Amino acid sequence: AARLPPWCLLGALQPPAAASDAQPASDVQVLVEDARQGPMRLHAHCVVLAASSSVWHRALRGAGGQDAAGSGTAELKLDPKLCSSADVALVALRFLYTGTVAECSFGSNAHLLLQLARLCSGCRLPTPLRLWALDALLACLDEPEYADVVPALLMEASTLGLEHED
C-alpha cells in the first residue's frame, strides 16, 4: 500500500471522528446519510478530496464553494447507494490523509466492507483502499451471516474491479 513520507504531516489534519468539531482549515463537509445515526457531517479539506478523486474534484468544483447556509464551506454529499455509514466514510477519508487503513472498526463486517468497496469504485478513490476493502471482504465471506453479500458481490464484480485477469 502507498504510504506518505514521514515528513508529510497530512495525517494530523485527518477527520478525528464523525460529528466532531471541524479540523483546522477544513473547508468541506462530507455529508453521510448514516443508516443508524441519521445525517452526519465529516469535516475535511477540499484539496485532499479533489486530489484523491476525480469524481469529488468535479463535484467540489461545481459546488461553488458554499454550503446551503452560505458559510463558504463546501458540501459533498455521499450517494447513500454507495455509502450509508459514517464509519465507512471516515475510514475512506482518513486513508486519503494517511495512505493507510488504521482503526477500522468494521474490518470483519462484510456489509460495511462492501460499502467501502462501492464508495471506492463509485467515487474513484485510490486503488489501494479499494483492494484493501475487497481483500478484507473476501476474507469474511465464509461466515454464514454474510451469505447475502455474495449475490451482490457477484452482480457488482465488474464495477468493483473483480474481473478475472488472464
Side-chain angles (χ1 to χ4, degrees):
R3 291 189 179 229
L4 298 175
W7 50 263
C8 181
L9 300 177
L10 277 178
L13 298 175
Q14 68 182 307
S20 65
D21 292 334
Q23 283 299 93
S26 66
D27 56 358
V28 62
Q29 292 183 23
V30 179
L31 308 177
V32 184
E33 190 59 46
D34 189 283
R36 292 181 299 126
Q37 303 175 73
M40 302 291 291
R41 295 176 178 272
L42 304 173
H43 299 275
H45 303 85
C46 285
V47 67
V48 173
L49 302 188
S52 302
S53 164
S54 60
V55 172
W56 289 352
H57 184 239
R58 281 191 305 276
L60 290 167
R61 191 172 49 198
Q66 286 198 351
D67 64 5
S71 71
T73 301
E75 289 185 340
L76 181 68
K77 184 171 178 17
L78 298 185
D79 182 346
K81 294 176 189 160
L82 299 177
C83 178
S84 59
S85 166
D87 291 337
V88 169
L90 188 59
V91 165
L93 291 176
R94 286 180 168 177
F95 181 89
L96 301 180
Y97 286 82
T98 65
T100 62
V101 176
E103 299 180 33
C104 179
S105 63
F106 57 88
S108 60
N109 182 320
H111 296 115
L112 295 178
L113 290 165
L114 180 58
Q115 281 189 42
L116 181 57
R118 285 174 175 154
L119 183 64
C120 289
S121 295
C123 295
R124 307 286 187 263
L125 298 181
T127 300
L129 178 58
R130 180 181 54 83
L131 294 177
W132 180 90
L134 291 172
D135 284 347
L137 171 59
L138 293 173
C140 62
L141 286 181
D142 59 347
E143 296 295 326
E145 66 187 290
Y146 299 125
D148 61 326
V149 172
V150 175
L153 195 57
L154 292 173
M155 289 177 53
E156 299 175 46
S158 178
T159 303
L160 296 174
L162 287 172
E163 306 92 20
H164 174 65
E165 292 182 21
D166 293 326

